[in-house]
């Protein structure tokens, strides 16, 4: 089943002041965040050392994001498509940080890949699935609902990445 979807738990909410600031290129790409050192599960020091955008063609974007997420210092990867709103990518990043924190606390792999818009199923590798996360974003008195997507890796890819140092 290519690109199946599950809906994530409700309750995600952010104020616009909690979202990261990005200046993104108008192209398909990956926003990659890495850490300077290992992060403990209960640490509040979850700020990424770096958030770089790498231009990546849409046809390899999902596979490339999974591969990059396996690298030792990488903590989060967000797929940003050229037509995805900047707000959706900012929300995807914020949700990814919280998912990473929860996984660390649960003793699970903290590798997180997110997307501000659902990747095209025609260019999604077999076995990759997505979870839809509905997020309320508050900006003073205005509340918007934004949907972002969590990318789940196939078991085979996860097993290959277990030799990597997990942060």
């Amino acid at each position: 089943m290519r690109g199946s979807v599950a809906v994530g738990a409700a309750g995600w909410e952010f104020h616009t002041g909690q979202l990261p600031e990005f200046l993104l290129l108008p192209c398909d790409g990956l926003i990659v965040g890495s850490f300077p050192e290992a992060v403990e599960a209960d640490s509040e020091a979850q700020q990424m050392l770096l958030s770089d955008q790498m231009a990546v063609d849409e046809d390899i974007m999902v596979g490339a994001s999974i591969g990059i997420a396996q690298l030792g210092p990488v903590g989060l990867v967000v797929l940003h498509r050229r037509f995805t709103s900047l707000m959706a990518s900012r929300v995807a990043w914020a949700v990814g940080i919280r998912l990473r924190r929860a996984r660390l606390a649960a003793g699970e792999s903290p590798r997180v890949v997110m997307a501000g818009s659902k990747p095209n199923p025609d260019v999604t590798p077999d076995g990759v699935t997505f979870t839809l996360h509905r997020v309320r974003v508050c900006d003073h008195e205005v509340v918007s609902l934004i949907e972002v997507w969590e990318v789940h890796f196939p078991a085979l890819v996860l097993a290959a990445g277990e030799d990597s140092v997990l942060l």
Side-chain angles (χ1 to χ4, degrees), residues 139-164:
D139 187 6
H140 302 289
E141 300 295 318
V142 178
V143 177
S144 302
L145 182 65
I146 296 180
E147 295 180 342
V148 298
W149 300 87
E150 180 181 0
V151 180
H152 298 281
F153 314 169
L156 184 59
V157 173
L158 282 176
E162 287 177 357
D163 294 333
S164 303

Side-chain angles (χ1 to χ4, degrees), residues 29-127:
L30 303 176
I31 306 165
V32 180
S34 59
F35 290 99
E37 57 190 49
V39 178
E40 300 298 322
D42 59 352
S43 172
E44 288 299 317
Q46 292 283 315
Q47 296 300 317
M48 299 288 167
L49 172 69
L50 175 68
S51 59
D52 260 343
Q53 183 182 12
M54 302 168 49
V56 177
D57 290 336
E58 179 188 12
D59 60 340
I60 63 166
M61 182 178 265
V62 177
S65 69
I66 292 168
I68 290 170
Q70 303 298 317
L71 299 175
V74 173
L76 176 61
V77 179
V78 174
L79 288 78
H80 176 78
R81 311 253 317 272
R82 65 187 169 276
F83 59 79
T84 302
S85 76
L86 177 59
M87 181 61 75
S89 290
R90 292 173 66 200
V91 170
W93 184 273
V95 170
I97 292 293
R98 286 195 182 167
L99 287 171
R100 186 176 199 292
R101 204 175 275 155
R103 288 185 184 154
L104 278 168
E108 300 171 0
S109 172
R111 304 296 178 195
V112 178
V113 177
M114 298 292 300
S117 59
K118 187 177 179 201
N120 183 341
D122 294 338
V123 295
T124 299
D126 288 335

